[in-house]
Amino acid sequence: LTARSLPSIQSDERLQPLLSHLSHSYVGPDYSVQKNPGKISLEQIDALSVKSFPLCMRQLHRALRDSHHLRHGGRMQYGLFLKGIGLTLEQALEFWKKEFIRGKVDADKFDKGYAYSIRHNYGKEGKRTDYTPYSCMKIIMSNPPSQGDYHGCPFRHSDPELLKQKLQSYRIPPSGITQILELVKGMHYQLACQKYFELTHDVDDIGFSLNHPNQYFTESQKLLSGGRELKKEFNNSGNFQQKNNSQESINSSSTPTSSNATADTELEGLEAYFTED
């Protein structure tokens, strides 16, 4: 309800200082602890990226598969998201190493230049802090992408025409694209992502306020595994087809924990370690 009220209250100058402060604060689940770590296999990631990844993570995954490399901002945003959906450290090292080797990075360079940062994300190096996935507000408000980057929020950082083309390629109906672009024009980026969820899952109302990419994934998996009745489901190519029975899916629910008040500070410290592209 609060998210849907933002269009009317953002114009109230009395609320601007409060909204400005809230935009840098995230007090929901931090997704640092997985209920079933390792339950997601590396072979499932491609299919999951089509069915259950928010657009920001779907974009990063596609860029990684196409170019076999992501720059620092993309590795941080996507790597912590994968950690949050249940990838173990061993799986993460295998996933990134295989992909980078397919590009211009040999095994020795990966072990010396990239593996440390992955272990650091999992609290196995440096301060041994359990770093948490980025919330929507952190993605929207900090570290905007530059040329050659694929991180950030597509609803916030993409050119509207390029965003429209991307949504068309994912077979979002024209009326849905119009609704999303109107929300983007009004700078309601999280509401645009909620509309994307509704359109890709064929539901009229998601029934929750979306504020975290890992929340998007968890709610999608609940829905696709029979948590709610779905009219349609994805086939292997990412299109919809009629559905009679609940689609079985992996159990990837995260166990919420209380938010760490120093999370942003810790993440800033972590980012200082990894500036190599």
Side-chain angles (χ1 to χ4, degrees):
L1 290 174
T2 302
R4 295 184 184 279
S5 299
L6 281 178
S8 60
I9 66 175
Q10 282 183 326
S11 59
D12 191 331
E13 295 181 358
R14 297 171 300 174
L15 296 177
Q16 286 302 317
L18 175 61
L19 292 175
S20 178
H21 172 72
L22 288 176
S23 70
H24 292 83
S25 302
Y26 174 71
V27 295
D30 60 18
Y31 299 95
S32 62
V33 179
Q34 298 86 41
K35 184 176 181 181
N36 295 305
K39 291 296 183 180
I40 296 173
S41 70
L42 299 182
E43 291 74 21
Q44 291 173 305
I45 293 180
D46 286 329
L48 288 172
S49 71
V50 173
K51 294 188 286 188
S52 292
F53 281 17
L55 188 58
C56 58
M57 300 305 172
R58 186 175 182 178
Q59 174 176 281
L60 282 165
H61 180 75
R62 186 70 265 157
L64 178 62
R65 288 303 199 204
D66 289 344
S67 65
H68 314 300
H69 189 271
L70 286 177
R71 298 176 68 181
H72 165 63
R75 297 196 304 271
M76 291 293 296
Q77 182 175 321
Y78 190 39
L80 289 173
F81 169 80
L82 291 175
K83 175 189 175 185
I85 68 173
L87 234 61
T88 65
L89 172 58
E90 292 72 21
Q91 287 175 313
L93 287 167
E94 180 182 352
F95 172 75
W96 290 99
K97 186 171 185 176
K98 281 185 176 180
E99 201 61 50
F100 274 41
I101 287 177
R102 292 177 64 190
K104 299 179 180 180
V105 177
D106 59 36
D108 185 61
K109 182 178 180 180
F110 179 88
D111 290 338
K112 292 180 179 179
Y114 297 96
Y116 177 89
S117 66
I118 297 171
R119 293 195 300 271
H120 201 289
N121 280 354
Y122 281 78
K124 302 301 181 182
E125 300 286 356
K127 296 180 180 179
R128 301 186 181 276
T129 302
D130 181 21
Y131 293 100
T132 58
Y134 292 175
S135 68
C136 291
M137 272 304 172
K138 181 171 180 62
I139 293 172
I140 291 170
M141 301 296 293
S142 63
N143 190 26
S146 57
Q147 186 174 3
D149 287 327
Y150 295 93
H151 66 274
C153 172
F155 303 107
R156 167 65 179 88
H157 298 115
S158 293
D159 175 82
E161 184 58 35
L162 293 178
L163 176 61
K164 178 180 179 180
Q165 294 174 14
K166 185 182 294 292
L167 294 172
Q168 289 173 334
S169 71
Y170 293 159
R171 303 195 179 186
I172 303 299
S175 61
I177 293 176
T178 298
Q179 293 178 69
I180 289 175
L181 293 178
E182 281 298 314
L183 290 167
V184 168
K185 184 178 180 180
M187 299 186 291
H188 309 305
Y189 309 118
Q190 287 170 247
L191 293 182
C193 193
Q194 288 184 194
K195 178 56 65 176
Y196 174 79
F197 185 107
E198 292 167 358
L199 293 166
T200 54
H201 291 77
D202 194 30
V203 293
D204 294 330
D205 190 340
I206 60 177
F208 60 88
S209 179
L210 180 63
N211 51 36
H212 202 293
N214 290 80
Q215 177 196 19
Y216 184 111
F217 177 84
T218 298
E219 295 295 337
S220 171
Q221 285 291 289
K222 287 179 181 178
L223 194 59
L224 294 174
S225 62
R228 298 181 194 170
E229 182 71 17
L230 274 183
K231 296 178 182 178
K232 302 174 184 178
E233 67 177 353
F234 286 101
N235 61 23
N236 290 335
S237 65
N239 301 327
F240 285 121
Q241 59 184 196
Q242 291 300 321
K243 174 179 183 175
N244 293 320
N245 300 317
S246 295
Q247 175 184 355
E248 292 187 0
S249 181
I250 55 173
N251 182 354
S252 61
S253 299
S254 298
T255 301
T257 61
S258 59
S259 175
N260 190 329
T262 59
D264 283 347
T265 301
E266 291 172 345
L267 282 169
E268 290 171 2
L270 172 63
E271 289 166 352
Y273 278 94
F274 316 121
T275 55
E276 180 184 2
D277 288 335

